[in-house]
């Protein structure tokens, strides 16, 4: 039986991943029952509070300004708009709202102050609040904590080696630095990755080595299946086989026993039976709502129907941690006012360059 380890090797994780499937899932399910209630699943709603226009070149992302996709961009939502969406999410069974902004990194100023107001507002609704806003300084992490943030998401995406094949505009070490900054507060860490980007099984294992080496382990790890979007460098990637998702969920469960494994993007391509298999293998959370930031997602009624079939109950808010108590605004930490220089590796990724050229050509033709 697996215990909380921080010294997993890639070879050990590969051995787990490649076991006969039913043996793998049986062990994962056994561990899941030791650390978690198998008949409860945490339901989150992912809300894009600022969509599109991101300066990064992440090959999987339709929100990158340099690619030509059909997403509709929007400026930062108002606090009132976010509150209305949060109330709707709560009524449909979600216990957490995760707010995502298409930023490279957080910048101090009116927009960040507005996000802090959003955090306070959702916290006051007795819902867990998560943010994914890009790179984050220690001061910014502290300010989010003081506003009542429950979790911060910052994915490693893949292994350190394959990360360089997907993104050239930011460095792997900056991802780890952001997670360290979050760990200095009482905010929980959410960090995972995407499979189906063309990575090897060794890369999948490498990502789990990196996540398991963090101490403590992340409280939650999203496992996303790539949703290929026309106009992005990965537009021609094939759909991830459900068996790969089951193996990845099960392996993550064994390597990170106490962590909540989030069955995230790509569920529209999975059958109900496939999703049920993932729950059995250790998935303990889903994102509900008709889309995840910009990609399709199963309707919340479909999810509730599946829960009913399986005898699963949506988890109550704060089931795994106390509700953060926001500080009065006048007692919160002031911004540092110091501009942090995050790295820009700047190496050339051919597929990203070609997708950018293709986008520029389409824009010229549209004029």
């Amino acid at each position: 039986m697996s215990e909380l380890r921080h010294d997993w090797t890639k070879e050990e994780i590969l051995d787990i991943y490649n076991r006969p499937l039913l043996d793998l899932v049986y062990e994962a399910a056994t561990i899941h029952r030791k650390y978690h209630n198998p008949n409860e699943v945490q339901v989150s709603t992912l809300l894009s509070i600022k969509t599109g226009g991101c300066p990064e070149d992440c090959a999987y992302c339709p929100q990158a300004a340099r690619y030509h996709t059909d997403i509709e961009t929007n400026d930062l939502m108002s606090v009132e708009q976010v509150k209305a969406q949060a109330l709707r999410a709560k009524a449909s069974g979600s216990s957490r709202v995760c707010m995502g902004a298409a930023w490279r990194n957080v910048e101090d100023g009116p927009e960040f102050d507005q996000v802090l107001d959003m955090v306070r507002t959702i916290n006051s609704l007795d819902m867990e609040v998560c943010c994914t806003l890009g790179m984050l300084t220690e001061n910014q992490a502290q300010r989010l904590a003081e506003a009542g943030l429950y979790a911060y998401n910052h994915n490693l995406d893949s292994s350190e080696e394959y990360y360089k094949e997907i993104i050239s505009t930011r460095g792997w070490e900056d991802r780890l630095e952001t997670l360290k900054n979050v760990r200095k507060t009482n905010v929980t860490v959410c960090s995972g990755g995407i499979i189906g980007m063309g990575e090897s099984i060794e890369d999948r294992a490498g990502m789990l080595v990196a996540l398991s080496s963090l101490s403590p382990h992340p409280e939650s790890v999203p496992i996303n299946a790539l949703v290929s979007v026309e106009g992005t460098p990965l537009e021609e990637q094939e759909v991830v086989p459900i068996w790969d998702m089951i193996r990845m969920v099960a392996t993550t469960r064994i390597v990170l026993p106490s962590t909540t494994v989030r069955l995230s993007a790509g569920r529209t391509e999975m059958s109900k039976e496939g999703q049920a298999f993932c729950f059995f293998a250790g998935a303990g959370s889903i994102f509900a709502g008709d889309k995840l930031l910009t990609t399709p997602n199963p309707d919340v009624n479909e999810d509730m129907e599946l829960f009913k079939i399986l005898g699963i109950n949506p988890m109550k808010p704060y089931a795994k941690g106390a509700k953060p108590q926001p500080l009065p605004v006048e007692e919160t930490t002031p911004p540092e006012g110091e501009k942090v220089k995050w790295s820009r590796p700047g190496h050339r990724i051919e597929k990203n360059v070609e997708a950018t050229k293709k986008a520029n050509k389409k824009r010229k033709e549209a004029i």
Side-chain angles (χ1 to χ4, degrees):
M1 177 101 30
S2 177
E3 298 298 337
L4 302 185
R5 286 180 50 187
H6 303 276
D7 60 349
W8 287 98
T9 67
K10 188 183 292 186
E11 291 70 28
E12 286 177 310
I13 295 175
L14 283 170
D15 178 66
I16 294 169
Y17 185 97
N18 289 315
R19 286 178 190 167
L21 184 64
L22 297 183
D23 290 346
L24 170 62
V25 172
Y26 178 79
E27 181 177 352
T30 303
I31 290 170
H32 188 55
R33 279 153 177 73
K34 178 180 177 183
Y35 289 88
H36 308 268
N37 181 342
N39 295 318
E40 278 191 348
V41 169
Q42 195 273 322
V43 182
S44 297
T45 291
L46 187 54
L47 179 61
S48 182
I49 59 173
K50 188 271 177 185
T51 307
C54 183
E56 303 277 66
D57 75 337
C58 308
Y60 53 78
C61 186
Q63 299 201 64
R66 66 189 67 210
Y67 308 137
H68 189 277
T69 61
D70 290 332
I71 68 159
E72 186 176 333
T73 61
N74 68 266
D75 295 331
L76 189 65
M77 293 173 69
S78 69
V79 176
E80 292 74 22
Q81 287 174 312
V82 168
K83 182 178 181 180
Q85 295 279 6
L87 286 169
R88 194 178 97 174
K90 185 176 183 178
S92 67
S94 287
S95 60
R96 177 182 294 190
V97 172
C98 184
M99 298 185 289
W103 293 336
R104 167 179 164 80
N105 56 274
V106 173
E107 293 186 2
D108 294 326
E111 288 198 329
F112 184 43
D113 292 341
Q114 192 168 321
V115 171
L116 295 174
D117 285 341
M118 294 174 188
V119 172
R120 291 188 188 93
T121 298
I122 298 174
N123 175 283
S124 72
L125 302 176
D126 289 328
M127 297 185 76
E128 297 172 10
V129 196
C130 176
C131 281
T132 179
L133 310 170
M135 273 94 75
L136 197 67
T137 67
E138 184 177 345
N139 175 270
Q140 290 161 348
Q142 183 60 37
R143 294 175 70 200
L144 282 164
E146 292 169 352
L149 192 72
Y150 187 86
Y152 194 81
N153 167 261
H154 201 59
N155 289 336
L156 294 184
D157 290 335
S158 189
S159 68
E160 182 176 5
E161 295 76 18
Y162 199 70
Y163 187 90
K164 300 179 181 73
E165 302 297 319
I166 298 296
I167 302 162
S168 73
T169 53
R170 65 181 185 220
W172 167 270
E173 65 279 3
D174 291 338
R175 313 300 281 175
L176 295 176
E177 186 65 26
T178 292
L179 295 179
K180 287 178 186 175
N181 290 338
V182 174
R183 271 290 176 231
K184 293 172 185 174
T185 73
N186 63 352
V187 175
T188 62
V189 168
C190 177
S191 185
I194 307 170
I195 68 170
M197 298 188 293
E199 77 287 342
S200 65
I201 295 174
E202 286 76 12
D203 289 312
R204 296 174 187 177
M207 182 182 77
L208 291 179
V209 168
L211 290 169
S212 64
S213 69
L214 299 175
S215 184
H217 289 161
E219 280 78 4
S220 62
V221 170
I223 301 298
N224 296 274
L226 176 71
V227 178
S228 55
V229 177
E230 186 177 357
T232 65
L234 298 181
E235 64 181 359
E236 295 182 1
Q237 284 294 125
E238 295 183 2
V239 174
V240 177
I242 185 60
W243 308 114
D244 285 23
M245 282 297 291
I246 294 166
R247 283 189 180 278
M248 193 64 187
V249 166
T251 304
T252 304
R253 167 49 60 241
I254 293 169
V255 173
L256 302 167
S258 65
T259 294
T260 296
V261 181
R262 299 187 177 279
L263 187 59
S264 301
R267 287 199 299 122
T268 53
E269 300 294 335
M270 301 178 198
S271 67
K272 286 184 171 62
E273 295 84 355
Q275 293 180 64
F277 218 150
C278 287
F279 291 136
F280 184 65
S285 175
I286 61 167
F287 285 104
D290 57 358
K291 66 179 179 178
L292 296 184
L293 296 181
T294 59
T295 55
N297 197 48
D299 182 86
V300 66
N301 292 325
E302 291 181 37
D303 291 329
M304 292 305 108
E305 180 187 345
L306 179 59
F307 278 21
K308 186 176 180 181
I309 292 169
L310 299 177
I312 287 174
N313 297 308
M315 191 178 292
K316 301 291 185 186
Y318 312 116
K320 295 198 172 183
K323 177 183 177 180
Q325 299 302 317
L327 289 179
V329 176
E330 62 272 14
E331 296 179 19
T332 57
T333 302
E336 282 183 334
E338 180 180 62
K339 192 164 180 70
V340 176
K341 294 195 178 215
W342 299 101
S343 67
R344 289 182 181 272
H347 56 282
R348 186 181 176 91
I349 302 175
E350 286 300 330
K351 58 180 175 287
N352 294 14
V353 172
E354 289 305 311
T356 303
K357 287 179 181 177
K358 185 177 174 182
N360 291 335
K361 183 179 177 182
K362 282 188 176 181
R363 291 187 185 106
K364 284 180 183 177
E365 289 172 351
I367 296 175

